[in-house]
């Protein structure tokens, strides 16, 4: 079975991490997999090494000064559409809105739902849901949203997590201990948020919550890692920075962290707050649990579904602050529950479920034949 997995970027965002781990697990199961992506900013490869058994096609995508977000997304669709030949594959599996609009008939994983006010983006989002012939969601909560909104019934296949990589980073292995020590020497005691500063990550709520905690824990630092996105959040970032100054909080923004260094960064953190307003699964939080780092999450149905009793939940900045304070007190039982939960989510299991799904989709004789007549809107 020749499988194409398509994602929109080479950067370490959740959907990209999902795509690469799924691709590698699929080839371990004997599948023939090619990952397609757009090489933004001159990128010629993904943010991390990829198993050589996975073919990688990075389509060049030049930056254009002054280009609006909507125009850039429409151009992304057209560039990927021009480069991709769907008839080379038995299964075409799009992981996001851009690739689902670019490749013609396909399977689509809907990680989470967005709400756009720009007409062209709203049309792209709609088409990327209704045009694919089969759908996967990584949680039942998102699948239910899709069913309620569009009458579709996606198959639920949960994410995996790189459990061993993050658990090892928290172990007594000398190299792991040295990795944690290096981050603590650089950052001190810190609370770590992953995903950058943006509305969907609930960054302003995080800031307000941390400011409350900081009153009693003045040695604690707020650290934010990651942040590559297609959207323009400069106004939100300005608002965040202004509020941080008003609150007297000096936020450490690391940006993208090297793949090899991330597990130690997570394992060395005191707490990982996870205050996203929308999520499909919560991969960064599951990685933290694998490393034994306590998680305080926004109280969302999808996170209740995925994380059960392994994390604390909060709705308001005051509740978030209380959760962080509680998580700062070491709780071996909760750490054990988190590791036990994370160990259940394996990429090899996800890959086998995908192969079963692909076989069912292929039997239905709805495999891609042409992109003719398939528009972006």
């Amino acid at each position: 079975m020749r499988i194409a997995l398509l994602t929109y970027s080479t950067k370490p965002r959740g959907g990209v991490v999902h795509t690469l781990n799924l691709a590698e697990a699929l080839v371990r199961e004997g599948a023939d997999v090619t990952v397609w992506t757009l090489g933004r900013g001159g990128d010629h490869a993904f943010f991390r090494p990829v198993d050589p058994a996975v073919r990688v096609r990075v389509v060049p995508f030049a930056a254009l000064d002054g280009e609006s977000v909507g125009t850039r997304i429409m151009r992304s669709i057209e560039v990927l559409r021009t480069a991709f030949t769907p008839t080379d594959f038995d299964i075409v599996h799009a992981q996001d809105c851009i690739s689902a609009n670019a490749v013609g008939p396909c399977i689509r994983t809907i990680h989470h739902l967005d709400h756009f006010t720009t007409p062209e983006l709203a049309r792209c989002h709609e088409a990327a849901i209704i045009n694919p012939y089969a759908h996967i969601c990584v949680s039942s909560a998102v699948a239910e949203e899709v069913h309620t909104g569009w009458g579709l019934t996606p198959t639920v296949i949960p994410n995996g997590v790189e459990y061993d990589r993050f658990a090892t980073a928290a172990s007594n292995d000398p190299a792991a201990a040295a990795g944690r020590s290096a981050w603590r020497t650089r950052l001190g005691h810190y609370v770590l948020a992953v995903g950058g500063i943006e509305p969907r990550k609930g960054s302003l709520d995080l800031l307000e919550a941390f400011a409350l905690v900081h009153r009693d824990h003045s040695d604690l630092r707020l650290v934010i890692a990651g942040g590559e996105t297609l959207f323009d959040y400069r106004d939100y970032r300005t608002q965040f920075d202004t509020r941080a100054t008003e609150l007297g909080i000096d936020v450490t923004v690391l940006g993208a962290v090297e793949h090899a260094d991330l597990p130690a960064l997570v394992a060395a953190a005191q707490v990982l707050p996870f205050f996203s307003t929308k999520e499909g699964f919560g991969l960064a939080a599951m990685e933290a649990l694998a490393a034994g780092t306590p998680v305080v999450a926004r109280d969302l149905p999808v996170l209740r579904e995925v994380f059960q009793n392994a994390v604390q939940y909060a709705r308001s900045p005051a509740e978030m602050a209380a959760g962080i304070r509680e998580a700062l007190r070491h709780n071996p039982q909760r750490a054990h529950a988190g590791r036990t939960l994370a160990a259940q989510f394996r990429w090899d299991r996800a890959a086998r479920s995908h192969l079963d799904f692909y076989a069912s989709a292929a039997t239905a004789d709805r495999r891609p034949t042409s992109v003719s007549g398939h528009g972006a809107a």
Side-chain angles (χ1 to χ4, degrees):
M1 183 180 287
R2 302 165 302 166
I3 302 165
L5 297 182
L6 298 106
T7 186
Y8 70 97
S9 175
T10 57
K11 308 297 185 184
R13 296 291 285 187
V16 181
V17 172
H18 171 105
T19 303
L20 295 182
N21 279 290
L22 176 59
E24 291 171 331
L26 286 169
V27 298
R28 288 195 294 270
E29 296 294 322
D32 180 344
V33 181
T34 304
V35 174
W36 288 73
T37 192
L38 293 170
R40 304 177 187 278
D43 282 356
H44 300 287
F46 281 101
F47 68 94
R48 69 160 175 87
V50 180
D51 186 331
V54 177
R55 297 184 184 89
V56 173
R57 289 289 307 274
V58 179
V59 181
F61 187 82
L64 298 180
D65 292 339
E67 188 175 42
S68 69
V69 171
T71 302
R72 184 166 65 251
I73 287 177
M74 298 302 290
R75 186 166 62 90
S76 298
I77 292 168
E78 187 57 38
V79 168
L80 186 55
R81 175 185 289 135
T82 300
F84 184 71
T85 306
T87 50
D88 288 346
F89 302 96
D90 302 302
I91 294 293
V92 175
H93 185 173
Q95 296 289 332
D96 51 72
C97 177
I98 287 173
S99 57
N101 275 284
V103 299
C106 66
I107 293 168
R108 164 83 196 280
T109 292
I110 303 172
H111 292 273
H112 67 271
L113 293 171
D114 287 304
H115 298 283
F116 296 112
T117 56
T118 304
E120 59 192 355
L121 298 185
R123 288 195 298 270
C124 286
H125 182 264
E126 181 77 5
I129 294 172
I130 64 175
N131 286 346
Y133 65 84
H135 303 79
I136 295 171
C137 289
V138 294
S139 61
S140 296
V142 176
E144 182 58 33
E145 285 187 76
V146 174
H147 181 72
T148 299
W150 289 270
L152 302 169
T153 306
T155 294
V156 177
I157 303 178
N159 272 333
V161 66
E162 293 179 273
Y163 178 84
D164 294 336
R165 196 164 78 94
F166 283 86
T168 298
S171 72
N172 293 325
D173 177 81
R180 297 193 302 274
S181 178
W183 281 116
R184 288 172 178 157
T185 298
R186 176 179 171 183
L187 299 173
H189 298 291
Y190 60 93
V191 167
L192 174 69
V194 176
I197 298 169
E198 59 183 76
R200 188 172 73 83
K201 295 300 180 182
S203 303
L204 283 170
D205 282 348
L206 167 63
L207 182 60
E208 297 289 345
F210 181 81
L212 295 173
V213 175
H214 196 251
R215 295 174 183 175
D216 303 318
H217 298 271
S218 59
D219 64 330
L220 199 63
R221 179 178 294 190
L222 176 58
V223 176
I224 299 179
E228 163 69 17
T229 179
L230 289 177
F231 299 102
D232 184 355
Y233 295 132
R234 283 176 293 184
D235 289 346
Y236 188 86
R237 177 62 186 271
T238 298
Q239 186 180 357
F240 180 94
D241 291 343
T242 299
R243 186 59 178 149
T245 299
E246 292 171 352
L247 293 169
I249 303 299
D250 183 14
V251 182
T252 300
V253 181
L254 298 176
V257 174
E258 290 293 330
H259 179 69
D261 298 331
L262 181 62
L265 175 69
V266 172
Q270 303 293 112
V271 184
L272 190 137
F274 198 72
F275 298 151
S276 300
T277 61
K278 292 180 183 297
E279 282 293 341
F281 179 85
L283 187 54
M286 195 64 75
E287 291 169 344
L289 294 186
T293 300
V295 172
V296 182
R298 189 181 294 273
D299 196 352
L300 301 176
V302 61
L303 299 183
R304 287 271 184 182
E305 173 195 338
V306 173
F307 292 98
Q308 304 170 42
N309 296 322
V311 309
Q312 295 170 267
Y313 297 97
R315 295 179 182 272
S316 67
E319 290 182 3
M320 293 167 182
I324 292 171
R325 291 191 195 99
E326 179 62 29
L328 289 171
R329 304 184 184 96
H330 182 59
N331 185 329
Q333 290 78 20
R334 191 178 291 275
H336 176 73
R339 288 192 180 98
T340 300
L341 177 68
Q344 298 175 19
F345 293 94
R346 298 287 183 167
W347 282 111
D348 289 340
R349 180 183 299 174
R352 288 190 290 272
S353 295
H354 276 80
L355 288 172
D356 290 342
F357 184 84
Y358 295 156
S360 174
T363 300
D365 197 28
R366 294 177 294 184
R367 289 168 289 176
T369 56
S370 172
V371 294
S372 175
H374 179 77

